[in-house]
Amino acid sequence: MDFYEQGVLLLVSLVANFFSALAGGGAGLLQLPALLFLGLPFAVALATHKVASVFLGLGATARHLKSSTLSLKFVAVVLGFGLPGVVLGANVILHIEEHIAQFALGVLTLGLGVYSWKKPQLGQVLNLQNQTFKGLMLGGGVLFLIGALNGSLTSGTGLFVTLWLVRWFGLDYKTAVAYTLVLVGIFWNGSGAITLGLLGNIQWDWLPALILGSLVGGYFGAHLAIVKGNAWVKRAFEVITILVGLALIYKALSN
């Protein structure tokens, strides 16, 4: 890539990962289409984006660990159920019609934003629920399904995790975003990147700009989320989910 194209990648990565860290997902809304626009095949673009997204998690983690403590119970549930789903989804994506999956994911993502918007008090205070064995298993089963989506279609699935942690487990938005960015950003996306890298290719020479944008954007997005609090994060979540959903539907229908 020439210097101009590297600059475009860096700018897109900065913006996408800043808003993703603020809302708890959605970096693929800008970053993945940019990689496709610049000429990468879908499978290569997806694997390359997955690698860069790990550094979004690292950048956001560097900020969140200064002001939040993660519960080992939630860490175990999110990783234990989600990681097998990610590996499954990464293996399946090469064998399904992309536009059909994108349309379905777009409708679901749009629904997340509308649902949150219709529930003004959702996620504004920490109110833990479904902490029994049955509640954790049911919640973990849904995380497995979200993990499969994450491994196959990267745009916006972190937003599903954020809302599920709020709705099912009773976390507030700020806490849920911290879990999503640390666990999904680093471990889920890392597993997806490894699986997709083994199955296909990663565009290594595009990664420096993407990684820098992910680290810096992730850190400052997480900082703004912590400083502004739940009301701000909730509104950012709703805006990003609606935009991601509409973008996925439009892309699916235009193919």
Side-chain angles (χ1 to χ4, degrees), residues 95 99 113 144 165 208 210:
H95 307 289
H99 69 281
F144 173 84
L165 292 176
L210 292 173

Side-chain angles (χ1 to χ4, degrees), residues 29-192:
L29 172 67
L30 291 175
Q31 191 161 276
L32 183 61
L35 298 181
L36 295 172
F37 178 77
L38 291 171
L40 289 186
F42 177 77
V44 178
L46 182 59
T48 304
H49 170 69
K50 283 290 185 185
V51 174
S53 294
V54 174
F55 290 87
L56 160 64
L58 291 173
T61 298
R63 180 63 183 87
H64 274 292
L65 289 183
K66 293 181 179 180
S67 57
S68 61
T69 302
L70 302 183
S71 163
L72 290 179
K73 177 170 62 177
F74 281 119
V75 169
V77 170
V78 174
L79 295 184
F81 284 92
L83 288 178
V86 172
V87 175
L88 173 65
N91 279 278
V92 168
I93 183 56
L94 302 179
H95 307 289
I96 64 174
E97 290 289 335
E98 179 189 343
H99 69 281
I100 295 175
Q102 283 184 334
F103 180 81
L105 184 62
V107 172
L108 289 172
T109 306
L110 180 61
L112 295 184
V114 174
Y115 176 82
S116 178
W117 177 63
K118 291 286 189 179
K119 302 277 187 180
Q121 299 306 312
L122 183 68
Q124 295 305 289
V125 294
L126 182 65
N127 183 26
L128 294 180
Q129 59 190 23
N130 293 313
Q131 300 298 295
T132 63
F133 178 80
K134 180 181 178 180
L136 292 172
M137 292 301 103
L138 289 174
V142 173
L143 288 170
F144 173 84
L145 297 176
I146 299 173
L149 286 176
N150 178 271
S152 57
L153 293 169
T154 189
S155 298
T157 51
L159 298 166
F160 281 67
V161 177
T162 298
L163 186 61
W164 186 242
L165 292 176
V166 170
R167 180 65 184 85
W168 183 257
F169 292 115
L171 274 61
D172 60 87
Y173 267 102
K174 190 165 68 171
T175 304
V177 165
Y179 278 102
T180 298
L181 293 174
V182 175
L183 301 179
V184 175
I186 297 176
F187 296 99
W188 284 27
N189 287 340
S191 298

Side-chain angles (χ1 to χ4, degrees), residues 216-240:
V216 177
Y219 182 92
F220 285 105
H223 174 75
L224 186 61
I226 292 168
V227 171
K228 293 297 184 179
N230 284 312
W232 245 70
V233 175
K234 182 177 187 294
R235 190 61 65 208
F237 173 88
E238 292 160 359
V239 171
I240 295 298

